[in-house]
Amino acid sequence: MRIFVLGSLDAELSGVPILPTAAKPRQILTLLAIYANQVLPVSALMEEIWGDAPPRSALTTLQTYILQLRRCMDKALQGEPGGSKEVLLTRQGGYLLRAEPGSIDVHEYDRLSSLGQRAYDRGDNQQAAELFREALGLWRGPALVDVRTGPLLEIEAMRLEESRLGMMERRNDVELRLGRHAELLTELTALTARHPLHEGLHAQSMVAFYRAGRPSAALQVFQNLRGHLVEELGIEPSQRLQRLQRAVLGSDPVLDIDPGTGRLLDRFTG
């Protein structure tokens, strides 16, 4: 089985598509996939579908949705022993979707993210960069982009998007440590445009432009950030960003790559 939620929803079993067309069964499949190999209580599924106002027929309707999912799976399994009930199991008070390691993209993303963070924490820049790139490569668009979301999936979508943004920032950091500023310029330009109030991304963009021999572009990044902060929040950039601006203006050698570690000073980009 393969299920993809980091972008548009897709699912297959034994190489055969099993994605339901109706919105609520898709919603249930998505939640089961995110919590794969865990029992998801009926109450949680009902909350996701109907919030705090389930109809009297909620339990019967939920069972119908589960049956629809199993029928899609049975078509793919073509009479294999056990059938869909060995994939989507009924458990006391809930349901469990059985999945092999690596079969659901969000789980693989979380695994690679954890490994990358460990490499990042121990200063293994090359390994961290590779793991972060691999994890980010699993994304095909915004999480759950075409799935109807209730309270539980809303939380998951926000968690995943925040995780993705944080990983991008850490990936940029290790790439800068490795001297790959030129390769980052296009992506950082897009990221700062998409997140006009995110100081960390703007700091990284400033360092990348400066190292690429474009200090005027680095200063323009600062001015763009300042304009958005003042206009939308009525505040100035942080002292950290202002120190970075002064460092660019003064061609401070601290902005150059450390030949030993490549590490940026935390006072600028940490």
Side-chain angles (χ1 to χ4, degrees):
M1 181 170 62
R2 299 280 292 170
I3 300 180
F4 306 91
V5 303
L6 300 178
S8 57
L9 179 64
D10 200 4
E12 62 180 41
L13 183 60
S14 299
V16 178
I18 59 168
L19 190 62
T21 56
K24 290 178 181 178
R26 288 165 61 93
Q27 193 175 358
I28 290 171
L29 178 62
T30 301
L31 195 60
L32 287 166
I34 289 175
Y35 288 90
N37 299 316
Q38 303 177 54
V39 175
L40 198 57
V42 166
S43 59
L45 289 164
M46 292 173 64
E47 179 186 1
E48 171 61 25
I49 298 296
W50 293 289
D52 57 3
R56 290 184 179 180
S57 61
L59 181 57
T60 301
T61 304
L62 176 61
Q63 291 169 342
T64 301
Y65 295 151
I66 294 294
L67 180 60
Q68 290 175 13
L69 291 175
R70 284 180 170 155
R71 284 174 177 167
C72 290
M73 294 176 182
D74 281 328
K75 288 179 182 179
L77 292 170
Q78 297 181 345
E80 289 185 21
S84 61
K85 291 186 177 180
E86 292 297 313
V87 181
L88 178 48
L89 290 73
T90 301
R91 288 289 182 261
Q92 183 66 37
Y95 297 94
L96 179 148
L97 183 70
R98 180 176 287 163
E100 296 295 324
S103 63
I104 299 177
D105 62 354
V106 67
H107 293 180
E108 186 66 3
Y109 167 79
D110 286 336
R111 184 185 73 84
L112 292 168
S113 175
S114 178
L115 292 173
Q117 185 63 49
R118 292 178 202 170
Y120 181 85
D121 291 341
R122 66 175 180 266
D124 188 342
N125 298 328
Q126 186 65 49
Q127 183 70 12
E130 291 173 2
L131 288 164
F132 288 153
R133 282 198 300 267
E134 188 177 354
L136 291 168
L138 295 173
W139 288 72
R140 298 165 295 110
L144 317 183
V145 65
D146 59 350
V147 177
R148 177 182 182 272
T149 56
L152 302 184
L153 285 182
E154 281 286 351
I155 292 171
E156 287 299 322
M158 288 189 290
R159 175 188 75 83
L160 287 167
E161 290 296 338
E162 283 298 316
S163 173
R164 182 189 192 188
L165 183 59
M167 184 181 294
M168 285 179 176
E169 191 173 5
R170 291 189 295 277
R171 189 278 316 273
N172 295 341
D173 185 38
V174 294
E175 297 282 18
L176 287 171
R177 295 181 192 184
L178 294 167
R180 297 171 181 165
H181 42 272
E183 294 93 324
L184 285 175
L185 286 176
T186 299
E187 185 170 1
L188 279 168
T189 298
L191 284 170
T192 52
R194 207 175 310 144
H195 303 281
L197 304 177
H198 196 297
E199 288 201 349
L201 294 174
H202 282 76
Q204 291 173 337
S205 183
M206 290 175 69
V207 172
F209 274 117
Y210 178 84
R211 289 182 174 178
R214 299 173 60 185
S216 61
L219 294 172
Q220 186 59 55
V221 170
F222 178 86
Q223 291 302 326
N224 291 342
L225 171 67
R226 181 180 183 277
H228 284 292
L229 289 173
V230 170
E231 180 179 351
E232 297 184 35
L233 301 178
I235 61 174
E236 293 285 338
S238 67
Q239 289 297 314
R240 177 169 62 98
L241 265 292
Q242 293 182 43
R243 285 195 297 268
L244 177 55
Q245 181 203 30
R246 291 194 294 271
V248 172
L249 285 168
S251 300
D252 194 328
V254 76
L255 295 176
D256 297 329
I257 302 171
D258 184 324
T261 66
R263 189 177 183 87
L264 295 172
L265 290 185
D266 289 342
R267 65 189 177 113
F268 290 144
T269 62

